[in-house]
């Protein structure tokens, strides 16, 4: 790990200004992603700006929806009664992530900005377009078992690793961002992430110095009836091979609204609107779930070792939907 | 609860010069006769806006860590992890380094009562917090019930993961996450054991959870 300077910001203004003034600086929340990357020399930073003293806390549920401060820890949000009751998919996605220790440390904002677990990205002995633009992508013809079948490009097929982001994209969550000028804006999380295209090194639309201060999730009947199903190589403490975040509002046996997003298959958290559209207005039956799930992978482009995700993604959607009817 | 994750303002031993506000308060005191209160508060508001940036630490700096109830003063670079500070600087080698990347749990310690991975924690960020390591668990010669239970159930083979397992087990029981075998398995999954002593580790954790449930 390179040597760096450290400061603890006393205000969001101070934090964003310090970051805007130094291109090599980084915010540090829980540090579980950042320190890991810095130890492996995947990232180098001149200055770490500790944001833990900033007042970006709180888990509040109003009639309009849920608001979570960006510094809330994964463990506290995952077990918060308001979240467990009204937004089970968020709680379940968090408690299926990482380990109890890591969840005690990791912040919500940091979680959404974690970087891919693609093995080539994580090993500086290999070229990688995301880590070193223009150097190439060994995964296209190499070991791509865990990588994406949706949203990839000739430059990169790395999956987005966050479970939380899949749940939040399904529920149409928004981020509140604060700029160094002190202005705030909100963006749908789904639009925040960028497809890799020719520049896989640019992963989101965060502006220089911008800080995530909060996450908001609109209230909805399908949010209360929601579920996160994560399929992985071992039962716990592992990233998703495939995951599904689903929510259904069923009345009198008919689906009124549906939300379905996939993890582990896309280069960004992957909402499948075609599946949702198919389900609305139809009876909530396994048969319909199957027919809908087939639409999720219609445009998929599998690689040598990850063809299994085509079938697995569909089965994961069906099983997750069966949990909420 | 959330204040657990915050470094207290005053307690943190970061070098902190007199703030502009307190300077103005002092001069306000001296010039108090001339300054009417509204002007003084305007000046304070201005001073807040122009507040000097928080100090930047680079290179070796003095820090104070509270470990097992004792203040330990040392000089560290900001990049030193809590794990390295414990093992290399303080000779507290009970906490183990397995993967150094958050993937095994060997480095588990408690910070303000919550279990964390010391390998991904910067020492500089733990100032003002209570750190508990495996060395701080026993009361003199009297072992902690979790240590006793690991002995009784043979909760280890090579013993390398054991300090982390024990610290994690203590937290797991306290959190109320060891009420069934399945729940304890899931909530102990952040601690890997290469020897596969899992059934015995589980038995130890569940026994302590049972003792505490009985009170
Ligand atoms: C072994 C291991 C297993 C894991 N397993 C999973 C898993 O199964 N599922 C999963 O989803 N995740 C998993 N993770 C990832 C983990 O969830 C993330 O590391 C964690 O959520 C990051 O949060 P943090 O607060 O520690 O972020 P940090 O490391 O502090 O920051 C991460 C990035 O975000 C930036 N940042 C932080 N906060 C803000 C903010 N408020 N505004 C702007 N920028 C900010 C930082 O500058 C940095 O670039 C795992 C991690 C490890 C090490
Ligand atoms: S898939 Fe993306 S992250 Fe992985 S090696 Fe290729 S460019 Fe790098
Ligand atoms: S040494 Fe910290 S988790 Fe492995
Ligand atoms: S006892 Fe050997 S690693 Fe657990």
């Amino acid at each position: 790990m390179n040597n760096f300077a450290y400061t603890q910001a006393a205000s969001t203004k101070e934090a964003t200004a310090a970051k805007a003034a130094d291109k090599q600086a980084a915010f540090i929340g829980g540090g579980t992603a950042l320190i890991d990357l810095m130890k492996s020399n995947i990232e180098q930073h001149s200055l770490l700006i500790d944001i833990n003293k900033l007042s970006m806390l709180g888990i509040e549920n109003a009639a309009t929806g849920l608001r979570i401060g960006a510094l809330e820890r994964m463990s506290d949000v995952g077990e918060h009664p308001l979240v467990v009751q009204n937004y089970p998919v968020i709680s379940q996605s968090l408690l299926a992530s990482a380990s109890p220790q890591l969840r005690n440390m990791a912040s919500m904002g940091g979680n959404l900005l974690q970087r891919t677990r693609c093995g080539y990205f994580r090993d500086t002995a290999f070229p990688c377009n995301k880590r070193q633009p223009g150097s190439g992508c060994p995964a296209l013809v190499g070991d791509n078992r865990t990588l994406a079948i949706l949203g990839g490009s000739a430059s990169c097929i790395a999956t987005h690793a966050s479970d939380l982001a899949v749940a939040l994209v399904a529920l149409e969550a928004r981020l509140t961002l604060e700029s160094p000028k002190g202005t705030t804006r909100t963006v749908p999380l789904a639009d925040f992430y960028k497809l890799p295209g020719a520049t896989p090194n640019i992963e989101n639309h965060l502006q220089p110095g911008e800080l995530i201060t909060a996450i908001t999730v609109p209230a909805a009947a399908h949010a209360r009836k929601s579920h996160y199903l994560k399929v992985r190589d071992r039962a716990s403490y592992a990233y998703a091979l495939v995951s599904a975040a689903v929510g259904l509002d069923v009345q009198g046996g008919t689906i009124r609204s549906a939300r379905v997003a996939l993890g582990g298959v896309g280069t960004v958290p992957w909402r499948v609107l075609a599946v949702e559209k198919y389900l609305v207005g139809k009876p909530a039956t396994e048969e319909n779930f199957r027919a809908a799930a087939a639409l999720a992978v219609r445009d998929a482009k599998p690689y040598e070792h990850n063809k299994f995700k085509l079938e697995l993604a569909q089965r994961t959607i069906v099983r997750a939907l069966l949990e909420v009817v | 609860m959330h204040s657990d994750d915050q470094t207290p303002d005053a307690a943190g031993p970061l070098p902190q010069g007199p703030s502009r506000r307190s300077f103005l308060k002092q001069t306000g005191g001296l010039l108090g006769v001339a300054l009417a209160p509204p002007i003084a508060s305007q000046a304070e508001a201005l001073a807040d806006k122009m507040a000097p940036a928080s100090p930047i630490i680079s290179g070796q700096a003095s820090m104070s860590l509270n470990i097992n109830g004792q203040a330990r003063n040392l000089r560290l670079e900001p990049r030193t992890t809590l794990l390295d500070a414990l093992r290399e600087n303080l000779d507290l080698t009970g906490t183990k380094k397995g993967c150094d990347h958050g993937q095994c749990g060997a480095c588990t310690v408690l910070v303000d009562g919550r279990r964390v991975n010391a390998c991904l924690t910067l020492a500089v960020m733990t100032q003002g917090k209570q750190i508990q390591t495996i060395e701080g668990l026993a009361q003199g010669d009297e072992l902690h019930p979790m240590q006793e239970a690991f002995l009784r159930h043979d909760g280890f083979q090579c013993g390398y993961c054991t300090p982390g397992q024990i610290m994690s087990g203590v937290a797991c029981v306290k959190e109320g996450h060891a009420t069934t075998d399945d729940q304890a398995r899931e909530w102990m999954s952040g601690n890997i054991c290469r020897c596969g002593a899992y059934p015995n580790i589980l038995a130890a954790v569940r026994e302590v959870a049972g003792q505490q449930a009985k009170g």
Side-chain angles (χ1 to χ4, degrees):
Chain A
M1 186 156 52
N2 70 289
N3 212 348
F4 52 80
Y6 166 88
T7 188
Q8 189 178 55
S11 65
T12 52
K13 201 166 172 193
E14 192 182 300
T16 54
K19 176 107 191 286
D22 181 351
K23 271 206 171 76
Q24 297 300 324
F27 298 130
I28 180 164
T32 61
L34 189 67
I35 300 299
D36 185 19
L37 291 163
M38 289 181 76
K39 278 186 178 181
S40 304
N41 282 321
I42 298 162
E43 289 188 14
Q44 279 105 21
H45 297 286
S46 51
L47 170 70
L48 296 194
I49 305 160
D50 182 352
I51 57 174
N52 288 289
K53 222 171 123 186
L54 308 183
S55 46
M56 306 195 295
L57 290 171
I59 303 169
E60 294 138 37
N61 194 29
T64 49
L66 178 71
R67 185 186 177 285
I68 306 170
L71 275 180
E72 287 290 345
R73 305 294 147 162
M74 289 170 74
S75 50
D76 297 324
V77 180
E79 291 202 284
H80 197 287
L82 286 175
V83 181
V84 173
Q85 240 162 51
N86 301 297
Y87 305 87
V89 68
I90 297 178
S91 161
Q92 292 160 7
S93 72
L94 286 165
L95 298 182
S97 298
S99 70
Q101 290 94 317
L102 289 161
R103 297 196 294 267
N104 278 343
M105 303 170 71
S107 67
M108 299 292 280
N111 181 293
L112 298 177
L113 294 174
Q114 66 175 288
R115 305 197 66 192
T116 185
R117 304 305 289 201
C118 169
Y120 300 108
F121 171 78
R122 297 265 158 184
D123 186 342
T124 55
F126 289 96
C128 164
N129 286 328
K130 193 186 268 303
R131 181 164 33 75
Q132 207 180 333
S135 62
C137 172
L140 293 170
V141 290
D143 180 355
N144 43 41
R145 175 172 176 269
T146 61
L147 301 184
I149 56 173
L150 286 159
S153 71
S155 297
C156 179
I157 53 167
T159 50
H160 195 275
S162 164
D163 292 296
L164 169 68
V166 180
L168 290 180
V169 161
L171 296 186
E172 297 170 316
R174 299 177 77 91
L175 298 182
T176 307
L177 306 172
E178 186 173 323
S179 78
K181 288 193 187 119
T183 55
T184 60
R185 60 177 181 130
T186 73
V187 291
L189 182 61
D191 301 343
F192 177 74
Y193 293 119
K194 260 186 83 282
L195 289 171
T199 53
N201 53 311
I202 305 169
E203 297 173 352
N204 57 56
H205 291 283
L206 207 61
Q207 296 299 306
E210 234 174 2
L211 185 69
I212 303 175
T213 58
I215 298 163
T216 51
V217 189
H222 56 244
R224 273 192 305 279
K225 277 280 191 186
S226 61
H227 187 73
Y228 192 73
L229 180 63
K230 180 171 175 179
V231 181
R232 37 188 163 173
D233 281 328
R234 63 181 181 202
S236 184
Y237 204 6
Y239 285 91
L241 284 172
V242 171
S243 68
V246 305
L248 279 186
D249 176 19
V250 181
Q251 282 175 30
T254 303
I255 299 168
R256 290 293 193 81
S257 70
R259 292 293 180 273
V260 181
L262 291 169
V265 296
T267 52
V268 296
W270 203 263
R271 184 166 168 198
V272 275
L273 289 166
V275 176
E276 297 175 5
K277 212 173 135 201
Y278 182 91
L279 289 171
V280 173
K282 295 204 175 62
T285 62
E286 185 168 345
E287 206 184 344
N288 282 329
F289 295 165
R290 268 185 214 292
L295 302 174
V297 290
R298 229 179 6 185
D299 304 323
K301 180 171 170 13
Y303 290 80
E304 188 182 352
H305 310 110
N306 64 10
K307 295 191 176 75
F308 70 97
K309 289 190 178 184
L310 286 173
E311 181 65 34
L312 187 58
Q314 298 177 61
R315 292 187 189 180
T316 307
I317 291 175
V318 173
R319 247 183 70 194
L321 287 169
L322 286 172
E323 287 288 326
V324 291
V325 285
Chain B
M1 274 313 283
H2 306 306
S3 59
D4 284 354
D5 300 318
Q6 308 292 302
T7 304
D9 299 8
L14 294 186
Q16 234 143 37
S19 75
R20 227 183 138 89
R21 174 186 272 224
S22 64
F23 174 72
L24 276 181
K25 270 190 181 143
Q26 282 159 21
T27 53
L30 287 175
L31 306 173
V33 192
L35 283 179
I39 299 177
S41 59
Q42 269 173 26
E44 277 193 9
L46 191 68
D48 275 353
K49 256 189 216 150
M50 297 165 44
S54 298
I56 292 180
I57 300 177
S58 71
Q60 295 250 341
S62 303
M63 346 193 152
S64 173
L65 303 184
N66 188 316
I67 297 163
N68 300 325
Q70 256 188 310
R72 305 290 300 261
N73 298 314
L74 62 176
R75 287 183 66 76
L76 298 173
E77 290 177 342
R79 66 174 158 178
T80 307
T81 60
L82 177 59
L83 179 59
D84 286 340
L86 291 170
R87 294 183 54 85
E88 309 296 331
N89 299 83
L90 296 166
D91 213 22
L92 290 167
T93 53
T95 307
K96 298 294 184 242
K97 183 182 281 191
C99 64
D100 213 20
H101 285 275
Q103 297 175 1
C104 75
C107 64
T108 303
V109 299
L110 308 186
V111 174
D112 284 347
R114 284 159 71 110
R115 48 178 160 158
V116 302
N117 301 100
C119 68
L120 294 182
T121 302
L122 295 179
V124 65
M125 289 172 70
T126 62
Q127 296 180 93
K129 302 184 184 188
Q130 306 285 332
I131 299 153
Q132 194 179 15
T133 70
I134 188 79
E135 289 91 349
L137 220 48
Q139 305 273 330
D141 282 345
E142 198 180 320
L143 292 181
H144 184 281
M146 191 63 74
Q147 292 172 309
E148 298 264 14
F150 266 70
L151 282 174
R152 212 168 19 251
H153 290 278
D154 259 341
F156 47 84
Q157 289 175 35
C158 77
Y160 197 79
C161 70
T162 313
Q165 299 280 2
I166 291 178
M167 296 310 286
S168 202
V170 168
C172 185
V173 170
K174 199 183 72 181
E175 293 159 6
H177 289 142
T179 59
T180 64
D181 283 358
D182 276 351
Q183 188 193 34
R185 265 190 212 105
E186 169 59 28
W187 286 83
M188 286 298 292
S189 68
N191 293 80
I192 308 284
C193 175
R194 287 210 65 182
C195 300
Y198 295 114
N200 300 3
I201 294 169
L202 182 69
V205 172
R206 290 278 294 130
E207 180 181 276
V208 177
Q211 286 164 2
Q212 308 220 330
K214 279 187 218 120

